[in-house]
C-alpha cells in the first residue's frame, strides 16, 4: 500500500490520503483524476481495472483503492 500512497501523494500533494475517507464524495477527486489514477494503478501494479471497479466507492480512500488492487491481483 505504501507504493500506492507514494504515487497518490506525488500526484496530489494537497490531499491527505492517510486520513481522508471520502475523496470522491467530498469532491477531492473528480472523474478526470480517477481516470489518471486508474492508469497509474494499472501501470504500477500490472493489473487491469475492469468496468465493474470504475465506481466511486473504489476511490473514496487509500484503503478502498488498495482493496481493489488486491482483488485485481
Amino acid at each position: 500500500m505504501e507504493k500506492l500512497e507514494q504515487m497518490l501523494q506525488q500526484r496530489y500533494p494537497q490531499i491527505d490520503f492517510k486520513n481522508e475517507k471520502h475523496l470522491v464524495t467530498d469532491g477531492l477527486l473528480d472523474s478526470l483524476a480517477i481516470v489518471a489514477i486508474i492508469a497509474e494503478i494499472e501501470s504500477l501494479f500490472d493489473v487491469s481495472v475492469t468496468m465493474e471497479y470504475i465506481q466511486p466507492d473504489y476511490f473514496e480512500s487509500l484503503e478502498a483503492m488498495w482493496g481493489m488492487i488486491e482483488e485485481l491481483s
Side-chain angles (χ1 to χ4, degrees):
M1 186 158 51
E2 188 176 318
K3 190 175 179 182
L4 174 63
E5 183 181 351
Q6 287 175 349
M7 177 273 289
L8 291 169
Q9 282 303 154
Q10 285 178 339
R11 229 176 212 292
Y12 306 97
Q14 72 280 12
I15 299 174
D16 181 5
F17 287 97
K18 283 187 179 181
N19 296 308
E20 183 60 56
K21 303 301 178 207
H22 304 284
L23 294 166
V24 178
T25 304
D26 290 349
L28 298 171
L29 295 179
D30 61 14
S31 58
L32 292 177
I34 291 172
V35 170
I37 290 169
I38 288 170
E40 290 280 344
I41 286 173
E42 289 181 332
S43 176
L44 274 176
F45 298 97
D46 195 30
V47 296
S48 179
V49 179
T50 58
M51 290 303 292
E52 69 184 276
Y53 289 97
I54 303 176
Q55 298 179 38
D57 290 349
Y58 290 103
F59 298 91
E60 283 286 14
S61 68
L62 177 65
E63 293 81 11
M65 287 183 246
W66 184 248
M68 174 186 66
I69 292 166
E70 287 184 321
E71 287 180 30
L72 292 168
S73 296

